[in-house]
Amino acid sequence: MLNLILFGPPGSGKGTQAALLVEKYKLLHISTGDMFRYELSNNTELGQLAKSYIDKGQLVPDSVTISMLRKRVEDNPDVGGIIFDGFPRTVAQAEALDVLLDDMGTSVSYLISLDVPDAEITERILLRGKTSGRSDDNDPEIIAKRISVYKSETTPVFDYYAEEGKSLKINGVGSIEEIFERICEEVDTL
Ligand code: AMP
């Protein structure tokens, strides 16, 4: 199985690139952010709980996020591979993912990190906010919080997989096509 983690700060283009990668490599796309937004749009208890964190730019607690993710993976036993977008965001989530994939006789193939400077990230998120309808994309304070949470809680996940030689950094500045090409070059050599 080809199991990729698409990694990077908020606004680095993970969702856009994931959609292209899913198409090319026939992978299952799992975005925990999209899953929370779906729950919210259906006004479920999980959606309401997630909203209380999302609206502050904080992470939804690991226990909640991991069990939601686990269920999605277990519900799709026959896929050829998975692209994880926005997960894992903490080392505890990475450890849980490793156990889950190990139980399925597979593992993370690579973590691909999109490298984009802070100033460009904020600009991109504010631009996306004009059309995404996401309240967390429109408030500079929430955006700043999301970036700081990424630096403190999420970047250790890069180091976690780097220890196994699985973390790759890709220049995330350029056109969508250019960045996609850079990612494919790496994936094709796996
Ligand atoms: P995203 O669409 O990936 O930018 O996620 C939007 C928001 O959903 C984040 O700011 C978090 O509040 C929450 N979220 C998404 N994925 C996770 C995760 N793996 N762990 C915790 N919270 C998450």
Side-chain angles (χ1 to χ4, degrees):
M1 268 173 89
L2 176 64
N3 299 309
L4 299 175
I5 297 172
L6 207 50
F7 195 77
S12 56
K14 297 187 293 295
T16 304
Q17 295 299 331
L20 297 170
L21 289 163
V22 161
E23 183 86 356
K24 175 160 180 176
Y25 297 100
K26 307 292 171 222
L27 305 170
L28 171 70
H29 180 198
I30 302 184
S31 157
T32 41
D34 284 351
M35 291 175 77
F36 286 134
R37 282 184 288 277
Y38 177 78
E39 294 291 330
L40 187 55
S41 71
N42 284 301
N43 207 15
T44 64
E45 220 173 283
L46 173 58
Q48 287 303 325
L49 176 78
K51 180 177 161 52
S52 64
Y53 294 93
I54 293 171
D55 282 354
K56 294 192 203 108
Q58 295 171 351
L59 295 183
V60 178
D62 282 341
S63 56
V64 176
T65 307
I66 290 167
S67 51
M68 178 179 78
L69 184 281
R70 184 183 300 125
K71 186 170 180 317
R72 171 62 67 89
V73 172
E74 287 173 352
D75 282 350
N76 290 277
D78 299 324
V79 292
I82 304 175
I83 185 152
F84 297 94
D85 162 8
F87 183 96
R89 264 174 151 102
T90 63
V91 169
Q93 291 181 13
E95 287 168 349
L97 177 63
D98 283 354
V99 171
L100 175 63
L101 293 179
D102 192 51
D103 285 348
M104 296 165 63
T106 184
S107 61
V108 168
S109 311
Y110 273 95
L111 176 151
I112 296 170
S113 177
L114 300 174
D115 212 9
V116 183
D118 282 2
E120 178 152 346
I121 287 166
T122 307
E123 239 173 70
R124 284 192 198 179
I125 299 176
L126 285 167
L127 191 69
R128 180 174 71 187
K130 289 186 182 163
T131 52
S132 71
R134 285 176 54 171
S135 52
D136 62 339
D137 280 350
N138 277 298
D139 181 329
E141 241 174 71
I142 299 176
I143 296 170
K145 175 72 183 167
R146 288 164 66 197
I147 294 172
S148 104
V149 166
Y150 172 77
K151 287 185 178 162
S152 59
E153 296 184 52
T154 304
T155 53
V157 173
F158 182 91
D159 302 329
Y160 175 88
Y161 286 106
E163 267 178 36
E164 297 172 40
K166 290 182 172 176
S167 291
L168 298 172
K169 225 173 234 179
I170 301 264
N171 176 3
V173 179
S175 71
I176 290 172
E177 294 75 20
E178 279 166 348
I179 299 164
F180 182 56
E181 220 167 275
R182 286 177 204 143
I183 298 174
C184 292
E185 254 171 47
E186 296 287 353
V187 172
D188 290 340
T189 61
L190 299 182

